[in-house]
Amino acid sequence: MKNSSPETQESAVTFENMNGAYKLSVLKSMLRIRMVEEEIAKRYPQGKMRCPTHLSVGQECVPAVIGTLLSESDLAVSTHRAHAHYLAKGGDLKAMLAEIYGKQSGCCKGRGGSMHLIDEKVGFKGSTAIVGNTIPIGVGLALSQKLRGKNDITVVFLGDGAIEEGVFYEAANFAVVKKLPVLFVCENNLYSVYSPLKVRQPQGRKICDIASTIGLHSQEGDGNIVAETHRVLTTAIDVCRQGQSATFVELHTYRWREHCGPHYDNDIGYRSEAEFLAWKERDPIELYKTQLYKAKILDAEKLQVMIRQLETEIQDAFQFAETSPYPPSEQAYSPVFAQGVNINIAEVANG
Amino acid sequence: MGERSLTFAQAINEAMHLAMEKDPEVLCYGLGVDDPKRIFGTTKGLQEAFGEERVFDMPTSENGMLGIGIGAALNDMKPVMVHQRLDFFLLAMDQLVNAAAKWFYMFGGQRSVPITIRLMLGRGWGQGPTHSQNLQAWFAHIPGLKVVMPATAADAKGLLLASIFDPNPVVFLEHRWLHHQEGNVPAGWQDDVLGKAKVLRTGTDITLVAISYQVVEALRAAEVLQSVGISAEVIDLRTVQPIDWATIEASIAKTGRVLALDTGALTCSVSAEIVARSAEKQFSLLKTAPARIAMPDFPEPTSYGLTKSFHPDARNIVTQACKMCCVTEIEKALNSLTVPEHHDVPGEWFKGPF
Ligand SMILES: Cc1ncc(C[n+]2csc(CCOP(=O)(O)OP(=O)(O)O)c2C)c(N)n1
Ligand SMILES: [Mg+2]
């Protein structure tokens, strides 16, 4: 999370003239996501994380950058593939891992698993497992932000597959009509499960163009390049925060591991090893590291320190998750309804 | 025709091949029908045999794509739509309920909608609140829909063929824990009818009416009940809309006791319907209050810890049946039931993630 207030974010602030500390913080966030996901992949076959799990390895750039551009009062919702979004928004790592392990200390007390993450403290309002499910919910959050007259925005993370759900058009249309402060961040990784884009959407038509035709302020960019992702996102966030328009960004990227689960699956035939290797050449972290080395912002020692810090944090968090107890089985039968009356008297009295 | 042992998934696959061979207007589509996993093997070889025009992947657009299937069906095609989880199909409830279920009746019986919708019911390995819903009662509540829930490999094949060639919309529910189960399946074409239950085991003391995966548990329970002197009759309902009341009523008339077993949540369930009907129609024949075992009225949580006793199984059936038959040797009966090492997998071979 960025510490400075959102007001200091000007569109004139380009990535190039951001300071070194900021640039390193983006790297650290990317590395953190990568290392967490890789550790999950490594441990998953032990059979202790017993839930469907979708990793974001290869897609770290977009979440890491946007995480530095939002404030805590901004909100976010996401999808089945949400670990990176949750972490970038400032979500508690320990609570996420404990949730994947099904533990009492998990962010949903073990009820949701990997596909259902939440951290209300940092405005991560929930990720859900049904494609498209959180798209209108994010728009609703933005509606409430607008009605309250605050300067906050809501980010809706979605994939290229979710664009195919009717609810995207319904929600985007309303967001445009009402000029809601919502930013749709579409990570186009070319696939929905094993289905390539070409069997789902016409070739040559761009997702960002659909969004712009609907009336959203829309841009696209290379989601594996930090500077470009930063440029596209700062513009979108500015437009959104100033209340000019609901916004959309399409960022091109690639998932390295299988759709669901810890393994690589380039051998099963839905995509080629060559395609994967070409994307791996464009590893967002390696590309960014090279750039930082060149600019003399990063050196081998700084990198080592960063990695060691992250390793300690991540190992601790896994230790926490693995040693936390399961919720007692009776807790499955805790109430499905909230209690009480849902009126905030003070707010009503104050108008 | 000879019989061979096939898995439930292979039997579905065989039915699809037979249907598509027999009728060039049978289509098969859905997310992943032609992907490397082929919907747990159930759509294997279809695209190779019948081409990309009849067997195709689709956009993630459940409501629209169901409506498109309905349109094709109104022009005499026989689409088979597939979803890897029932939960994904919930987006299509408008087309299902307001169009498919209504068309024949609403337009004066001129055109029916011969579409089949295969939905998979998830369970275990942390499928959780939105990947494990058993909403057969929802569908059964809508006049105009047929709802099929096979439990054996042979029925998977026969009932799928019957569903595809039924002139009405059919929701065909496949429990994920049945796909790997093996059974004898007759080779070649298989004639079956929707709306007929099957007595899988005859008995005289209690009628167990089961659907889908609960049939497996009922048969395990019946075996154990035998050892404490209870003769249980097991009825595999096979279709929950329409329900074969004649078979159920004949059995209850013989045993005087009925225990309905469901894979869905208790309240307003299919099992509730069976209990209600037996109380209404056969009250004077009952020796004890009719009962039901179903899922608790809670979303299914993800955690291994929380699901430990979430799914009622043969143990619950044995306990309840003993009570209903006033047999006190419940412990003895339960002791002879093997308990799997992990409660959240259909077998130790299952290593996730889906
Ligand atoms: C309504 C619905 N349909 C299908 C699925 C199965 N499913 C889970 S993830 C997924 C892929 C979605 O692709 P995309 O939006 O591009 O996200 P990605 O997995 O690439 O991050 C699908 C189809 C689902 N969860 N919900
Ligand atoms: Mg995708």
Side-chain angles (χ1 to χ4, degrees):
Chain A
M1 293 295 300
K2 189 187 65 152
N3 293 323
S4 57
S5 72
E7 288 73 38
T8 61
Q9 239 354 285
E10 307 279 18
S11 48
V13 178
T14 64
F15 182 73
E16 285 63 33
N17 56 38
M18 298 297 282
N19 66 29
Y22 171 78
K23 290 180 177 171
L24 286 175
S25 76
V26 174
L27 177 66
K28 189 166 183 182
S29 177
M30 286 168 82
L31 277 172
R32 184 164 178 260
I33 294 166
R34 170 75 54 92
M35 289 167 68
V36 168
E37 297 285 67
E38 287 294 344
E39 192 64 24
I40 293 172
K42 188 175 130 197
R43 296 186 190 219
Y44 194 89
Q46 295 169 358
K48 294 187 205 160
M49 290 177 252
R50 297 169 89 86
C51 59
T53 299
H54 305 77
L55 302 177
S56 281
V57 180
Q59 302 187 200
E60 297 87 352
C61 168
V62 174
V65 171
I66 200 165
T68 65
L69 300 175
L70 299 176
S71 68
E72 265 195 11
S73 54
D74 291 324
L75 304 175
V77 289
S78 177
T79 68
H80 55 286
R81 193 179 310 286
H83 300 175
H85 308 142
Y86 168 98
L87 292 174
K89 187 72 182 70
D92 181 339
L93 172 63
K94 287 183 173 169
M96 177 182 102
L97 292 176
E99 187 59 36
I100 302 172
Y101 277 85
K103 299 301 180 69
Q104 174 71 29
S105 53
C107 60
C108 306
K109 302 187 182 127
R111 295 187 201 161
S114 161
M115 299 191 291
H116 303 97
L117 302 176
I118 187 166
D119 193 337
E120 286 271 357
K121 292 188 296 300
V122 298
F124 191 83
K125 295 293 277 185
S127 65
T128 65
I130 299 299
V131 173
N133 184 258
T134 52
I135 295 174
I137 293 170
V139 173
L141 290 166
L143 173 68
S144 73
Q145 287 169 321
K146 180 160 184 182
L147 292 176
R148 294 220 169 111
K150 300 238 174 80
N151 209 10
D152 301 323
I153 71 166
T154 296
V155 175
V156 175
F157 289 102
L158 69 164
D160 49 288
I163 297 297
E164 294 148 19
E165 295 290 6
V167 76
F168 167 69
Y169 301 85
E170 301 174 19
N173 178 60
F174 183 75
V176 171
V177 170
K178 296 280 187 187
K179 288 195 180 173
L180 298 181
V182 61
L183 164 56
F184 299 99
V185 175
C186 177
E187 287 169 59
N188 181 349
N189 62 8
L190 303 173
Y191 292 90
S192 164
V193 194
Y194 306 116
S195 307
L197 262 173
K198 70 166 189 286
V199 304
R200 303 180 283 119
Q201 297 178 28
Q203 278 177 293
R205 191 187 66 192
K206 287 182 168 184
I207 290 174
C208 62
D209 289 343
I210 303 178
S212 121
T213 306
I214 294 171
L216 293 162
H217 176 284
S218 178
Q219 308 161 83
E220 73 175 318
D222 187 330
N224 278 16
I225 297 194
V226 170
E228 184 164 335
T229 300
H230 184 274
R231 176 179 56 75
V232 167
L233 285 172
T234 28
T235 307
I237 289 173
D238 275 354
V239 169
C240 207
R241 231 185 256 299
Q242 286 162 20
Q244 292 170 10
S245 175
T247 55
F248 187 96
V249 297
E250 175 186 7
L251 290 156
H252 302 279
T253 185
Y254 198 76
R255 136 176 86 69
W256 285 13
R257 290 179 179 270
E258 61 189 335
H259 165 70
C260 180
H263 304 294
Y264 285 98
D265 69 350
N266 303 314
D267 56 318
I268 67 172
Y270 72 103
R271 64 186 196 185
S272 69
E273 182 74 10
E275 179 184 282
F276 164 69
L277 290 175
W279 277 94
K280 203 168 173 220
E281 273 298 300
R282 304 191 60 256
D283 177 354
I285 296 182
E286 286 307 317
L287 291 178
Y288 189 46
K289 270 172 29 188
T290 309
Q291 195 199 340
L292 294 182
Y293 274 126
K294 260 198 214 137
K296 305 228 181 318
I297 293 168
L298 183 69
D299 57 39
E301 199 192 312
K302 273 190 193 152
L303 183 64
Q304 268 320 306
V305 172
M306 198 181 272
I307 289 176
R308 246 180 276 125
Q309 277 174 358
L310 289 171
E311 255 162 15
T312 309
E313 184 203 1
I314 292 166
Q315 290 303 324
D316 279 358
F318 271 92
Q319 169 82 8
F320 171 82
E322 293 211 352
T323 55
S324 288
Y326 283 122
S329 61
E330 314 83 71
Q331 262 192 32
Y333 317 106
S334 46
V336 292
F337 295 117
Q339 297 298 309
V341 180
N342 190 17
I343 297 178
N344 185 330
I345 306 291
E347 278 186 16
V348 171
N350 296 338
Chain B
M1 286 273 190
E3 291 201 347
R4 316 97 335 131
S5 184
L6 292 186
T7 65
F8 186 100
Q10 287 167 333
I12 297 270
N13 184 239
E14 191 164 278
M16 283 306 303
H17 276 275
L18 286 167
M20 297 194 82
E21 252 156 46
K22 187 183 178 83
D23 186 340
E25 299 207 316
V26 174
L27 311 177
C28 170
Y29 70 104
L31 285 179
V33 294
D34 61 350
D35 79 15
K37 300 284 170 79
R38 302 287 167 116
I39 319 283
F40 314 111
T42 61
T43 57
K44 208 169 144 191
L46 292 177
Q47 197 174 55
E48 289 75 1
F50 305 105
E52 292 180 9
E53 300 220 310
R54 292 176 64 199
V55 182
F56 53 91
D57 203 348
M58 66 171 216
T60 325
S61 311
E62 289 76 8
N63 196 32
M65 290 309 299
L66 175 59
I68 287 163
I70 294 171
L74 289 174
N75 210 14
D76 289 334
M77 297 254 157
K78 299 173 189 69
V80 181
M81 193 187 199
V82 192
H83 294 277
Q84 305 206 26
R85 285 290 177 276
L86 176 150
D87 318 64
F88 307 160
F89 179 67
L90 296 182
L91 278 72
M93 289 306 277
D94 166 52
Q95 290 295 330
L96 181 75
V97 177
N98 289 324
K102 301 294 188 286
W103 214 271
F104 180 72
Y105 182 87
M106 181 170 76
F107 289 115
Q110 299 181 57
R111 277 261 164 205
S112 64
V113 183
I115 191 169
T116 303
I117 303 149
R118 294 179 48 211
L119 305 177
M120 268 128 250
L121 309 172
R123 170 171 170 182
W125 199 270
Q127 295 302 304
T130 59
H131 277 57
S132 65
Q133 295 173 86
N134 283 247
L135 300 178
Q136 55 269 17
W138 272 34
F139 301 127
H141 192 67
I142 309 299
L145 295 179
K146 294 194 177 182
V147 186
V148 178
M149 295 185 85
T152 64
D155 280 354
K157 177 176 167 183
L159 291 176
L160 183 55
L161 286 171
S163 299
I164 294 171
F165 294 100
D166 192 284
N168 300 288
V170 179
V171 180
F172 189 90
L173 301 173
E174 301 167 27
H175 198 286
R176 267 296 284 144
W177 282 24
L178 292 172
H179 275 141
H180 69 284
Q181 299 246 350
E182 286 190 35
N184 285 335
V185 180
W189 190 263
Q190 207 175 314
D191 279 320
D192 205 336
V193 280
L194 305 186
K196 279 298 294 168
K198 256 188 199 164
V199 178
L200 294 189
R201 182 182 171 118
T202 54
T204 50
D205 297 327
I206 185 167
T207 301
L208 304 178
V209 184
I211 51 177
S212 188
Y213 188 71
Q214 282 297 356
V215 171
V216 174
E217 299 291 348
L219 289 170
R220 287 177 64 208
E223 196 63 40
V224 169
L225 288 168
Q226 191 70 54
S227 70
V228 290
I230 297 174
S231 162
E233 179 143 306
V234 178
I235 295 179
D236 176 357
L237 205 50
R238 306 198 318 144
T239 314
V240 301
Q241 180 64 277
I243 289 180
D244 177 2
W245 294 114
T247 299
I248 297 175
E249 284 168 13
S251 179
I252 295 175
K254 179 170 64 170
T255 63
R257 298 181 184 89
V258 59
L259 175 57
L261 308 172
D262 209 320
T263 60
L266 186 76
T267 300
C268 299
S269 60
V270 172
S271 60
E273 189 61 30
I274 290 163
V275 166
R277 176 87 167 211
S278 65
E280 272 173 0
K281 305 270 174 181
Q282 294 182 290
F283 192 73
S284 61
L285 298 175
L286 293 174
K287 297 173 185 154
T288 182
R292 60 206 160 115
I293 293 176
M295 294 288 290
D297 285 324
F298 293 86
E300 180 167 327
T302 300
S303 165
Y304 183 79
L306 291 173
T307 47
K308 266 188 186 141
S309 48
F310 202 76
H311 298 86
D313 61 12
R315 283 169 293 190
N316 307 72
I317 301 169
V318 166
T319 307
Q320 181 65 30
C322 284
K323 284 185 192 155
M324 291 170 75
C325 296
C326 301
V327 167
T328 51
E329 296 161 288
I330 298 179
E331 284 307 314
K332 179 186 158 201
L334 289 180
N335 285 340
S336 57
L337 271 175
T338 49
V339 181
E341 187 189 344
H342 293 295
H343 67 274
D344 68 336
V345 287
E348 289 310 311
W349 50 270
F350 189 90
K351 300 283 177 230
F354 189 61

